[in-house]
Amino acid sequence: MNHYETVFILNPVLSEDQIKETVQKYEDFLVSRGAKMVSKEDWGLKKLAYPIQNKKSGFYHLFEYTVDGEVINPLEVEFRRDERFMRYLTVALDKHAIAWAEKRRNRDKQKA
């Protein structure tokens, strides 16, 4: 089991319900393939550094999870097929990144 982090940007014209449905769909996709969700964050509507599909903002979300490596390719194929996704990035975390992510989550909990 490898540790991964996926950040994706959803189209800003989606309603709140459509965003929740999309996030839940892909969380279920991962869990059904044996993933263990470590963290899920909603970063909200953010301005983009450059326009994507003529949009200047998007809804950012982050998934942190552990799963076998063969699940990542089917996940990204689903991202490419879904029109609601503007961009996504999946990275494998090493031990230093895992420790940093844990520290970031704890810091964010203290702020809340």
Side-chain angles (χ1 to χ4, degrees):
M1 296 286 260
N2 297 326
H3 208 106
Y4 293 97
E5 195 172 74
T6 300
V7 176
F8 53 90
I9 307 171
L10 296 173
N11 198 318
V13 299
L14 298 174
S15 71
E16 189 73 30
D17 291 337
Q18 290 171 318
I19 292 168
K20 287 179 183 175
E21 173 195 325
T22 303
V23 170
Q24 189 62 48
K25 174 184 175 184
Y26 288 96
E27 182 179 1
D28 293 344
F29 179 91
L30 285 167
V31 170
S32 71
R33 285 162 174 75
K36 179 180 174 283
M37 298 301 284
V38 176
S39 174
K40 187 172 74 168
E41 297 178 22
D42 175 6
W43 293 347
L45 185 66
K46 302 257 185 207
K47 185 175 179 195
L48 302 173
Y50 56 90
I52 301 172
Q53 302 170 357
N54 295 322
K55 309 283 189 303
K56 295 183 180 178
S57 61
F59 291 101
Y60 282 70
H61 286 271
L62 173 116
F63 285 169
E64 187 180 336
Y65 52 93
T66 57
V67 72
D68 288 328
E70 67 251 7
V71 175
I72 299 303
N73 196 32
L75 174 68
E76 292 187 348
V77 167
E78 290 297 317
F79 284 166
R80 283 192 288 272
R81 288 180 179 163
D82 197 332
E83 295 174 353
R84 298 173 285 196
F85 284 83
M86 294 168 55
R87 289 285 190 275
Y88 62 89
L89 178 66
T90 301
V91 293
L93 302 178
D94 63 4
K95 64 181 182 180
H96 303 293
I98 293 169
W100 183 86
E102 180 71 31
K103 194 185 308 182
R104 186 193 75 232
R105 280 195 307 275
N106 291 337
R107 184 184 65 227
D108 289 346
K109 285 180 186 174
Q110 289 175 354
K111 286 183 180 179

